[in-house]
PDB file of all heavy atoms in Angstrom:
ATOM      1  N   ALA A 193       4.308  13.462  -3.093  1.00 98.00           N
ATOM      2  CA  ALA A 193       4.732  13.864  -1.736  1.00 98.00           C
ATOM      3  C   ALA A 193       5.197  12.643  -0.935  1.00 98.00           C
ATOM      4  O   ALA A 193       6.258  12.736  -0.195  1.00 98.00           O
ATOM      5  CB  ALA A 193       3.568  14.554  -0.982  1.00 98.00           C
ATOM      6  N   GLN A 194       4.552  11.550  -1.132  1.00 98.00           N
ATOM      7  CA  GLN A 194       5.023  10.305  -0.432  1.00 98.00           C
ATOM      8  C   GLN A 194       6.379   9.839  -1.001  1.00 98.00           C
ATOM      9  O   GLN A 194       7.237   9.464  -0.247  1.00 98.00           O
ATOM     10  CB  GLN A 194       3.981   9.199  -0.618  1.00 98.00           C
ATOM     11  CG  GLN A 194       2.662   9.404   0.132  1.00 98.00           C
ATOM     12  CD  GLN A 194       1.665   8.338  -0.151  1.00 98.00           C
ATOM     13  OE1 GLN A 194       1.956   7.343  -0.820  1.00 98.00           O
ATOM     14  NE2 GLN A 194       0.505   8.522   0.404  1.00 98.00           N
ATOM     15  N   VAL A 195       6.512   9.923  -2.307  1.00 97.00           N
ATOM     16  CA  VAL A 195       7.821   9.552  -2.939  1.00 97.00           C
ATOM     17  C   VAL A 195       8.923  10.539  -2.379  1.00 97.00           C
ATOM     18  O   VAL A 195      10.033  10.107  -2.036  1.00 97.00           O
ATOM     19  CB  VAL A 195       7.748   9.591  -4.436  1.00 97.00           C
ATOM     20  CG1 VAL A 195       9.129   9.571  -5.112  1.00 97.00           C
ATOM     21  CG2 VAL A 195       6.921   8.387  -4.913  1.00 97.00           C
ATOM     22  N   ASP A 196       8.627  11.792  -2.354  1.00 97.00           N
ATOM     23  CA  ASP A 196       9.585  12.780  -1.888  1.00 97.00           C
ATOM     24  C   ASP A 196       9.998  12.467  -0.448  1.00 97.00           C
ATOM     25  O   ASP A 196      11.235  12.437  -0.119  1.00 97.00           O
ATOM     26  CB  ASP A 196       9.029  14.185  -1.837  1.00 97.00           C
ATOM     27  CG  ASP A 196       8.896  14.762  -3.296  1.00 97.00           C
ATOM     28  OD1 ASP A 196       9.559  14.231  -4.243  1.00 97.00           O
ATOM     29  OD2 ASP A 196       8.123  15.776  -3.429  1.00 97.00           O
ATOM     30  N   GLU A 197       9.112  12.050   0.347  1.00 97.00           N
ATOM     31  CA  GLU A 197       9.397  11.685   1.817  1.00 97.00           C
ATOM     32  C   GLU A 197      10.300  10.470   1.859  1.00 97.00           C
ATOM     33  O   GLU A 197      11.200  10.322   2.659  1.00 97.00           O
ATOM     34  CB  GLU A 197       8.178  11.590   2.600  1.00 97.00           C
ATOM     35  CG  GLU A 197       8.476  11.454   4.091  1.00 97.00           C
ATOM     36  CD  GLU A 197       9.439  12.513   4.692  1.00 97.00           C
ATOM     37  OE1 GLU A 197       9.277  13.713   4.334  1.00 97.00           O
ATOM     38  OE2 GLU A 197      10.267  12.170   5.482  1.00 97.00           O
ATOM     39  N   VAL A 198       9.935   9.486   1.043  1.00 97.00           N
ATOM     40  CA  VAL A 198      10.767   8.232   1.040  1.00 97.00           C
ATOM     41  C   VAL A 198      12.173   8.541   0.599  1.00 97.00           C
ATOM     42  O   VAL A 198      13.140   8.095   1.194  1.00 97.00           O
ATOM     43  CB  VAL A 198      10.088   7.153   0.086  1.00 97.00           C
ATOM     44  CG1 VAL A 198      11.027   5.984  -0.177  1.00 97.00           C
ATOM     45  CG2 VAL A 198       8.782   6.651   0.686  1.00 97.00           C
ATOM     46  N   ARG A 199      12.345   9.381  -0.451  1.00 96.00           N
ATOM     47  CA  ARG A 199      13.625   9.689  -0.959  1.00 96.00           C
ATOM     48  C   ARG A 199      14.396  10.470   0.087  1.00 96.00           C
ATOM     49  O   ARG A 199      15.586  10.186   0.342  1.00 96.00           O
ATOM     50  CB  ARG A 199      13.523  10.513  -2.251  1.00 96.00           C
ATOM     51  CG  ARG A 199      13.049   9.687  -3.386  1.00 96.00           C
ATOM     52  CD  ARG A 199      12.742  10.638  -4.567  1.00 96.00           C
ATOM     53  NE  ARG A 199      12.303   9.890  -5.796  1.00 96.00           N
ATOM     54  CZ  ARG A 199      11.930  10.520  -6.900  1.00 96.00           C
ATOM     55  NH1 ARG A 199      11.940  11.813  -6.965  1.00 96.00           N
ATOM     56  NH2 ARG A 199      11.550   9.800  -7.924  1.00 96.00           N
ATOM     57  N   LEU A 200      13.736  11.484   0.694  1.00 96.00           N
ATOM     58  CA  LEU A 200      14.423  12.244   1.771  1.00 96.00           C
ATOM     59  C   LEU A 200      14.853  11.438   2.936  1.00 96.00           C
ATOM     60  O   LEU A 200      15.994  11.556   3.494  1.00 96.00           O
ATOM     61  CB  LEU A 200      13.503  13.374   2.207  1.00 96.00           C
ATOM     62  CG  LEU A 200      13.497  14.607   1.289  1.00 96.00           C
ATOM     63  CD1 LEU A 200      12.334  15.535   1.795  1.00 96.00           C
ATOM     64  CD2 LEU A 200      14.804  15.337   1.444  1.00 96.00           C
ATOM     65  N   THR A 201      14.014  10.531   3.412  1.00 97.00           N
ATOM     66  CA  THR A 201      14.329   9.675   4.516  1.00 97.00           C
ATOM     67  C   THR A 201      15.516   8.757   4.131  1.00 97.00           C
ATOM     68  O   THR A 201      16.380   8.602   5.037  1.00 97.00           O
ATOM     69  CB  THR A 201      13.117   8.841   4.889  1.00 97.00           C
ATOM     70  OG1 THR A 201      12.024   9.764   5.318  1.00 97.00           O
ATOM     71  CG2 THR A 201      13.390   7.868   6.050  1.00 97.00           C
ATOM     72  N   PHE A 202      15.532   8.296   2.976  1.00 96.00           N
ATOM     73  CA  PHE A 202      16.659   7.435   2.548  1.00 96.00           C
ATOM     74  C   PHE A 202      17.935   8.244   2.562  1.00 96.00           C
ATOM     75  O   PHE A 202      18.981   7.771   3.022  1.00 96.00           O
ATOM     76  CB  PHE A 202      16.392   6.796   1.192  1.00 96.00           C
ATOM     77  CG  PHE A 202      17.583   5.929   0.745  1.00 96.00           C
ATOM     78  CD1 PHE A 202      17.852   4.753   1.384  1.00 96.00           C
ATOM     79  CD2 PHE A 202      18.278   6.272  -0.345  1.00 96.00           C
ATOM     80  CE1 PHE A 202      18.871   3.910   1.001  1.00 96.00           C
ATOM     81  CE2 PHE A 202      19.390   5.450  -0.749  1.00 96.00           C
ATOM     82  CZ  PHE A 202      19.668   4.272  -0.147  1.00 96.00           C
ATOM     83  N   LEU A 203      17.896   9.452   1.966  1.00 95.00           N
ATOM     84  CA  LEU A 203      19.082  10.311   1.971  1.00 95.00           C
ATOM     85  C   LEU A 203      19.527  10.606   3.449  1.00 95.00           C
ATOM     86  O   LEU A 203      20.715  10.545   3.740  1.00 95.00           O
ATOM     87  CB  LEU A 203      18.798  11.641   1.295  1.00 95.00           C
ATOM     88  CG  LEU A 203      18.803  11.639  -0.250  1.00 95.00           C
ATOM     89  CD1 LEU A 203      18.287  12.963  -0.785  1.00 95.00           C
ATOM     90  CD2 LEU A 203      20.230  11.467  -0.769  1.00 95.00           C
ATOM     91  N   GLU A 204      18.571  10.955   4.265  1.00 96.00           N
ATOM     92  CA  GLU A 204      18.890  11.223   5.656  1.00 96.00           C
ATOM     93  C   GLU A 204      19.542  10.004   6.304  1.00 96.00           C
ATOM     94  O   GLU A 204      20.520  10.099   7.031  1.00 96.00           O
ATOM     95  CB  GLU A 204      17.531  11.508   6.397  1.00 96.00           C
ATOM     96  CG  GLU A 204      17.790  11.944   7.804  1.00 96.00           C
ATOM     97  CD  GLU A 204      16.454  12.386   8.458  1.00 96.00           C
ATOM     98  OE1 GLU A 204      15.417  12.176   7.869  1.00 96.00           O
ATOM     99  OE2 GLU A 204      16.507  12.823   9.601  1.00 96.00           O
ATOM    100  N   GLN A 205      19.097   8.781   6.043  1.00 95.00           N
ATOM    101  CA  GLN A 205      19.656   7.553   6.616  1.00 95.00           C
ATOM    102  C   GLN A 205      21.098   7.396   6.119  1.00 95.00           C
ATOM    103  O   GLN A 205      21.907   6.902   6.876  1.00 95.00           O
ATOM    104  CB  GLN A 205      18.719   6.333   6.323  1.00 95.00           C
ATOM    105  CG  GLN A 205      17.392   6.417   7.016  1.00 95.00           C
ATOM    106  CD  GLN A 205      17.550   6.491   8.532  1.00 95.00           C
ATOM    107  OE1 GLN A 205      18.284   5.794   9.166  1.00 95.00           O
ATOM    108  NE2 GLN A 205      16.763   7.369   9.127  1.00 95.00           N
ATOM    109  N   LEU A 206      21.263   7.625   4.847  1.00 93.00           N
ATOM    110  CA  LEU A 206      22.669   7.521   4.316  1.00 93.00           C
ATOM    111  C   LEU A 206      23.590   8.473   5.084  1.00 93.00           C
ATOM    112  O   LEU A 206      24.736   8.099   5.404  1.00 93.00           O
ATOM    113  CB  LEU A 206      22.736   7.853   2.795  1.00 93.00           C
ATOM    114  CG  LEU A 206      22.241   6.778   1.869  1.00 93.00           C
ATOM    115  CD1 LEU A 206      22.359   7.322   0.422  1.00 93.00           C
ATOM    116  CD2 LEU A 206      23.036   5.563   2.008  1.00 93.00           C
ATOM    117  N   LEU A 207      23.132   9.712   5.269  1.00 93.00           N
ATOM    118  CA  LEU A 207      24.035  10.676   5.987  1.00 93.00           C
ATOM    119  C   LEU A 207      24.203  10.309   7.459  1.00 93.00           C
ATOM    120  O   LEU A 207      25.302  10.480   7.954  1.00 93.00           O
ATOM    121  CB  LEU A 207      23.410  12.112   5.810  1.00 93.00           C
ATOM    122  CG  LEU A 207      23.451  12.632   4.356  1.00 93.00           C
ATOM    123  CD1 LEU A 207      22.528  13.872   4.173  1.00 93.00           C
ATOM    124  CD2 LEU A 207      24.861  12.904   3.883  1.00 93.00           C
TER     125      LEU A 207
END
Side-chain angles (χ1 to χ4, degrees):
Q194 289 175 8
V195 164
D196 287 342
E197 188 53 40
V198 168
R199 291 173 178 175
L200 278 168
T201 299
F202 181 67
L203 281 170
E204 183 178 8
Q205 293 302 314
L206 282 180
L207 293 167

